[in-house]
Amino acid sequence: MTAAVPRPKIQKRAVHGVLMLDKPLGLTSNDALQKVKRLLRAEKGGHTGTLDPLATGLLPLTFGAATKFSQVSLEADKAYRATLQLGATTTTGDGEGEVLERRAVAVTPAQIQAACEPFKGAISQLPPMYSALKHQGRALYELAREGITVERQPRAVTIHALEIVDWQPESALLTLDVRCSKGTYIRTLGEDIGAALGCGAHLAALRRTAS
C-alpha cells in the first residue's frame, strides 16, 4: 500500500491593493473572495458588500493594507440593474425559489411608473428570510431552508434613484436601475413593486453596477 504524499503547503504572501471583480452568477461574495485569495496566495483580504449568488457584477475586493478601506465602501451607496419577472411570486423572492402564486399581468408603463414612485426616497423595508442577516449566530437563509421563519424588524433605507430601463409586456419582464443606501434589499423592493402593481413579482436577475 502506497502512503499518501502530503500536499505541499501553499506559501501565502503580502498582497496590497483593490481588485475590481466582475462576480459571476452562483457565487456569494465570500466564495468569490476566497477563490481570488487562493489564486493570489494573499495573506489578508476582504470584500466591500454582500452580493447574493443570484447577483452578478462589480464587487471590489481589498487585500492587505487596502482592507482598512473596506468599511468606507460598505457604508457607501450602491447601484444595481435589476430585472423583475412580473406575474409570479416565489418562496425566495427570486428565480431560485418555488412559485407561490401566478397572476395575469396587464399593466401599462404609466402604471409601472406610478407604482415605483412611492419607493423613492426614505422607505422602510422588512429584511427577507433569504438573506445573510444573523439570528442567534445563524444566517437567516439557513433557517429559511429548514422551513423556519423568525421575526425581523423593519429597517430604514433610502432609494436615491429608481428608473425604468425596459419593459417587455410579452414576457412581463421589467428592468430597473436602482441607486440606494447600504442595507437595501433589491429582492424585497421587487416584491413590493409587484404587490403595488397587483400582479406580484420576483427578482429574475441582478447586476451591481458602478454607483
Side-chain angles (χ1 to χ4, degrees):
M1 181 175 180
T2 305
V5 177
R7 297 177 64 181
K9 185 177 181 180
I10 297 176
Q11 186 66 38
K12 294 186 178 180
R13 58 179 181 157
V15 177
H16 304 282
V18 179
L19 174 67
M20 307 301 284
L21 177 70
D22 186 0
K23 190 188 84 65
L25 187 72
L27 294 180
T28 66
S29 296
N30 189 60
D31 290 339
L33 170 63
Q34 297 308 320
K35 285 179 178 292
V36 174
K37 277 184 68 178
R38 284 194 294 271
L39 287 171
L40 298 178
R41 295 188 285 116
E43 293 177 341
K44 184 179 181 182
H47 62 74
T48 59
T50 302
L51 291 180
D52 289 344
L54 172 73
T56 62
L58 188 64
L59 177 65
L61 302 178
T62 58
F63 297 94
T67 57
K68 67 179 68 175
F69 302 111
S70 294
Q71 191 60 36
V72 175
S73 184
L74 285 170
E75 298 293 328
D77 293 342
K78 307 294 187 298
Y80 302 93
R81 176 156 291 186
T83 300
L84 308 184
Q85 176 65 69
L86 302 190
T89 56
T90 70
T91 53
T92 59
D94 60 26
E96 296 182 344
E98 298 179 3
V99 174
L100 291 171
E101 184 180 16
R102 294 189 185 275
R103 293 184 183 180
V105 179
V107 297
T108 65
Q111 289 173 322
I112 294 172
Q113 186 66 56
C116 289
E117 285 301 318
F119 296 101
K120 296 179 181 179
I123 63 171
S124 179
Q125 274 193 337
L126 183 68
M129 277 300 301
Y130 281 87
S131 67
L133 283 179
K134 297 292 182 66
H135 175 76
Q136 297 180 351
R138 297 187 65 191
L140 290 184
Y141 66 80
E142 294 177 350
L143 299 175
R145 287 170 181 167
E146 296 174 7
I148 301 171
T149 300
V150 299
E151 185 177 355
R152 291 97 68 205
Q153 295 301 317
R155 292 185 165 192
V157 299
T158 303
I159 308 297
H160 299 292
L162 180 58
E163 299 178 1
I164 298 171
V165 176
D166 186 43
W167 165 236
Q168 300 178 26
E170 298 83 5
S171 57
L173 288 173
L174 172 64
T175 302
L176 303 169
D177 275 350
V178 185
R179 186 166 59 84
C180 55
S181 64
K182 70 163 189 172
T184 301
Y185 290 97
I186 305 300
R187 74 175 67 202
T188 299
L189 178 64
E191 288 180 311
D192 290 344
I193 290 173
L197 287 168
C199 59
H202 67 266
L203 189 62
L206 180 65
R207 182 170 181 82
R208 184 172 171 183
T209 58
S211 55

